[in-house]
Amino acid sequence: MGGAGPVAMPHLRSARVRTVALRGMTDSVVVRVKPGSRKGPLVEVGPNRELTIYVREPAVDGKANDAVTRLLAAHLQLPRSQVELVSGAASRLKRFRVSR
């Protein structure tokens, strides 16, 4: 039975490998944006874990996109530099790349 190989590996070595692999992970996060909202700044998590982000900034000259990026980074407790808008710059449905 081929299962004997992984059991023979030292536990510390495999833990180190997993830590290195997790360091460079990226996720894709899709959010629905409500620009120009009196309710904002606010992040709502829906029943299916979908995110709706309310910002006061209008959807003019990228102001709402900047505000959404800052708010999403704060919500995920990450530096702003690790959250990048990938698609949907002119849409209310946006996709972000999150690096961890």
Side-chain angles (χ1 to χ4, degrees), residues 27-29 69 83-89 93-98:
D27 292 319
S28 181
V29 178
T69 305
V83 178
E84 177 188 6
L85 178 63
V86 208
S87 67
L93 197 61
K94 301 182 185 302
R95 182 178 307 272
F96 288 89
R97 179 180 304 127
V98 178

Side-chain angles (χ1 to χ4, degrees), residues 2-20:
V7 175
M9 290 180 60
H11 293 291
L12 292 176
R13 183 173 176 197
S14 73
R16 225 177 297 134
V17 171
R18 268 188 256 129
T19 302
V20 171

Side-chain angles (χ1 to χ4, degrees), residues 6-7 9-10 22 27 29 40 44 55 62 70 74-75 78 89 92:
V7 175
M9 290 180 60
L22 290 175
D27 292 319
V29 178
E44 283 186 348
V55 291
R70 283 192 313 272
H75 177 75
L78 293 171
R92 290 180 189 243

Side-chain angles (χ1 to χ4, degrees), residues 29-32 41-46 49-55 66-80 82-83 96 98 100:
V29 178
V30 177
V31 299
R32 181 164 304 280
L42 174 68
V43 177
E44 283 186 348
V45 181
R49 297 186 53 152
E50 68 270 2
L51 296 178
T52 302
I53 298 182
Y54 298 85
V55 291
D66 291 339
V68 169
T69 305
R70 283 192 313 272
L71 193 54
L72 180 60
H75 177 75
L76 297 173
Q77 298 178 349
L78 293 171
R80 160 68 182 89
Q82 290 182 323
V83 178
F96 288 89
V98 178
R100 295 179 189 249

